[in-house]
Amino acid sequence: MSTSEFPLPDVGEGLTEAEIVSWRVQAGDTVVLNQVLVEIETAKSLVELPSPFEGTVTELLVQEGQTVDVGTPIIAVSSGDGAALAAAIGGDPDETPAAALALAAEQADDRPGAVLVGYGIKGGVTSRRQRGGQQPAVATESGSAPIAIRPRSVPAASASNIIAKPPIRKLAKDLGVDLTEVGPTGLAGEITRDDVIRHASQASLFHNIETPPWSDEREERIPVKGVRKAIATAMVSSAFTAPHVSLFVDVDATRTMEFVKRLKNSPDFAGVKVSPLLIMAKAMIWAVRRNPTVNAQWTDSEIIVKHYVNFGIAAATPRGLIVPNIKEAQELSLRELASAIEQLTITARDGKTPPADMAGGTITVTNIGVFGMDTGTPILNPGEVAIVALGTIKQKPWVVDGEVRSRFVTTLGASFDHRIVDGDVASRFLADVASVIEEPALLLD
């Protein structure tokens, strides 16, 4: 019988520390290969660490809520003869535990059923435990753009007269939405997918702004750690490293709204979430091709212009702001891009965005319109040189051919790194994005 201590591994790019959020095992438990041992919070995301070994848990060396450095022993496990432990991870019995754990990580992709430590179990990962009985909040910034057409007022239904298709009922269950509280906007009085998502988004927003009862404590102190610490560090670094220049433009988005409506009714987009954010993403990718220097990176010695687009979407999650990105977005069709945005939203909402999905972004959109904001001055995502904010889309008076008409209007706000992007390039890029929002048919070019 031998007992070994295993250190906290580096599960991300340059990870230095992580917080132990919740243990999934206790002393005395028998663990098997790929069983989730612990959930940790890094500066980027929540990560479940699967076991690369088999044995019996002898001791948990770190308490929940404690932040430890990479390399710190976090769990002690005993195995029958040492050889069984080594065999479980494909290593040598004489190797140190740290070396064996590293070997398991290196070989993870080469062995059936094995995984890279920190990135979950192939074939399904145990769901994150919900604390406090709260449902996961919707990542509204990344997921759903505002629907400017207000739904008709319909009284809330009772459980017996709800009209909703099975997929809509499942979506509502997954989002924690009570269908009796959702006002239907379907032509036959049925609850639509947009109704459920809109309700979930508003519930998340209003949950955050509800006035809580006064606490008996005069002050509350919240430790700065994890994602919040990473956000603060990144924003300060971005604001004081890259000289920002910002531009704004009002846009007639009426044809975008019409286009979105047609896509929703198209059989080719059945089962896929479609919103104005999809057209915004496609517009930015189209504009990048015409103005490539907005899709670049600054280093001390050179400017790296990237001829691919890893499209980032700022997402408001229960743990704070994160910016996952869609890899090689320029290669995706409109439907593929819609599916990718929807999957990104679901993953972020569930707190399951892996570090790899937040690395390597090249340009970002932030959808502040879902909060009813007309525009804002976005701060660059570190390492990028352009970001665009999509404001709310709502009906306003607009002059068309000399006549004042009611149109759907939005405001685009964009920030650029002035070390790379000059005013003329920034202006042309934002004008190109605006032109697609005004006339989506340009995407056919």
Side-chain angles (χ1 to χ4, degrees), residues 149-169:
I149 303 176
R150 295 185 178 274
R152 53 195 174 92
S153 177
V154 178
S158 65
S160 61
N161 62 6
I162 291 174
I163 304 176
K165 296 178 180 178
I168 304 303
R169 293 179 182 272

Side-chain angles (χ1 to χ4, degrees), residues 220-341:
E220 179 183 7
R221 297 177 182 268
I222 302 173
V224 178
K225 59 184 180 180
V227 172
R228 179 52 54 191
K229 183 177 181 180
I231 291 172
T233 300
M235 293 299 97
V236 170
S237 174
S238 177
F240 290 97
T241 300
H244 287 52
V245 59
S246 298
L247 300 173
F248 307 91
V249 61
D250 292 332
V251 184
D252 180 356
T254 303
R255 290 183 178 175
T256 281
M257 297 302 289
E258 293 171 348
F259 186 39
V260 168
K261 184 177 180 180
R262 290 197 298 272
L263 291 179
K264 288 181 178 180
N265 294 328
S266 170
D268 293 336
F269 283 78
V272 178
K273 169 65 180 175
V274 178
S275 74
L277 182 62
L278 169 63
I279 312 306
M280 181 68 182
K282 201 67 173 177
M284 288 178 61
I285 296 169
W286 182 82
V288 161
R289 181 163 55 91
R290 293 163 56 90
N291 306 274
T293 55
V294 303
N295 194 59
Q297 180 181 0
W298 172 274
T299 71
D300 290 336
S301 60
E302 60 186 357
I303 296 172
I304 305 173
V305 179
K306 301 176 181 181
H307 299 296
Y308 59 91
V309 178
N310 289 347
F311 191 78
I313 300 178
T317 75
R319 299 172 51 249
L321 180 69
I322 63 173
V323 188
N325 63 77
I326 299 169
K327 301 295 192 288
E328 303 291 341
Q330 81 285 352
E331 300 293 339
L332 302 181
S333 67
L334 196 60
R335 191 187 192 286
E336 290 170 338
L337 185 59
S339 297
I341 292 175

Side-chain angles (χ1 to χ4, degrees), residues 61-372:
L61 304 175
V62 180
Q63 299 299 314
E64 292 183 356
Q66 186 176 348
T67 298
V68 296
D69 294 332
V70 168
T72 301
I74 60 173
I75 186 173
V77 176
S78 64
S79 61
D81 57 4
L85 176 61
I89 59 176
D92 187 284
D94 296 327
E95 287 188 299
T96 65
L101 190 60
L103 179 61
E106 291 174 3
Q107 296 179 343
D109 289 333
D110 298 326
R111 296 183 289 111
V115 295
L116 179 63
V117 172
Y119 286 85
I121 302 172
K122 289 182 180 178
V125 178
T126 304
S127 298
R128 180 186 176 191
R129 182 180 67 186
Q130 296 299 316
R131 288 177 284 279
Q134 293 181 349
Q135 294 291 340
V138 176
T140 53
E141 273 196 302
S142 69
S144 58
I147 304 300
I149 303 176
R150 295 185 178 274
R152 53 195 174 92
S153 177
V154 178
S158 65
S160 61
N161 62 6
I162 291 174
I163 304 176
K165 296 178 180 178
I168 304 303
R169 293 179 182 272
K170 182 179 184 303
L171 175 65
K173 180 179 179 181
D174 292 342
L175 297 182
V177 171
D178 183 351
L179 288 177
T180 62
E181 298 178 355
V182 179
T185 62
L187 295 179
E190 76 276 12
I191 295 174
T192 67
R193 182 184 182 87
D194 283 342
D195 295 334
V196 173
I197 292 178
R198 184 186 304 109
H199 183 88
S201 301
Q202 292 172 346
S204 173
L205 174 61
F206 289 124
H207 171 77
N208 291 331
I209 64 176
E210 283 178 351
T211 303
W214 285 107
S215 171
D216 293 334
E217 301 293 332
R218 289 182 60 82
E219 297 178 342
E220 179 183 7
R221 297 177 182 268
I222 302 173
V224 178
K225 59 184 180 180
V227 172
R228 179 52 54 191
K229 183 177 181 180
I231 291 172
T233 300
M235 293 299 97
V236 170
S237 174
S238 177
F240 290 97
T241 300
H244 287 52
V245 59
S246 298
L247 300 173
F248 307 91
V249 61
D250 292 332
V251 184
D252 180 356
T254 303
R255 290 183 178 175
T256 281
M257 297 302 289
E258 293 171 348
F259 186 39
V260 168
K261 184 177 180 180
R262 290 197 298 272
L263 291 179
K264 288 181 178 180
N265 294 328
S266 170
D268 293 336
F269 283 78
V272 178
K273 169 65 180 175
V274 178
S275 74
L277 182 62
L278 169 63
I279 312 306
M280 181 68 182
K282 201 67 173 177
M284 288 178 61
I285 296 169
W286 182 82
V288 161
R289 181 163 55 91
R290 293 163 56 90
N291 306 274
T293 55
V294 303
N295 194 59
Q297 180 181 0
W298 172 274
T299 71
D300 290 336
S301 60
E302 60 186 357
I303 296 172
I304 305 173
V305 179
K306 301 176 181 181
H307 299 296
Y308 59 91
V309 178
N310 289 347
F311 191 78
I313 300 178
T317 75
R319 299 172 51 249
L321 180 69
I322 63 173
V323 188
N325 63 77
I326 299 169
K327 301 295 192 288
E328 303 291 341
Q330 81 285 352
E331 300 293 339
L332 302 181
S333 67
L334 196 60
R335 191 187 192 286
E336 290 170 338
L337 185 59
S339 297
I341 292 175
E342 184 175 27
Q343 185 58 51
L344 177 149
T345 302
I346 294 172
T347 304
R349 181 196 67 220
D350 291 341
K352 297 296 184 182
T353 303
D357 284 1
M358 290 182 280
T362 64
I363 193 168
T364 294
V365 65
T366 177
N367 185 5
I368 61 175
V370 293
F371 302 111

Side-chain angles (χ1 to χ4, degrees), residues 341-426:
I341 292 175
E342 184 175 27
Q343 185 58 51
L344 177 149
T345 302
I346 294 172
T347 304
R349 181 196 67 220
D350 291 341
K352 297 296 184 182
T353 303
D357 284 1
M358 290 182 280
T362 64
I363 193 168
T364 294
V365 65
T366 177
N367 185 5
I368 61 175
V370 293
F371 302 111
M373 297 296 101
D374 290 331
T375 189
T377 305
I379 296 179
L380 293 168
N381 195 32
E384 301 174 15
V385 302
I387 182 172
V388 181
L390 173 62
T392 186
I393 303 175
K394 55 188 176 184
Q395 288 184 302
K396 292 183 178 180
W398 191 264
V399 178
V400 180
D401 297 330
E403 297 181 358
V404 178
R405 301 180 185 176
S406 177
R407 307 287 284 182
F408 288 105
V409 178
T410 189
T411 301
L412 306 181
S415 294
F416 304 89
D417 186 337
H418 217 347
R419 294 174 299 180
I420 298 177
V421 183
D422 295 330
D424 60 335
V425 176

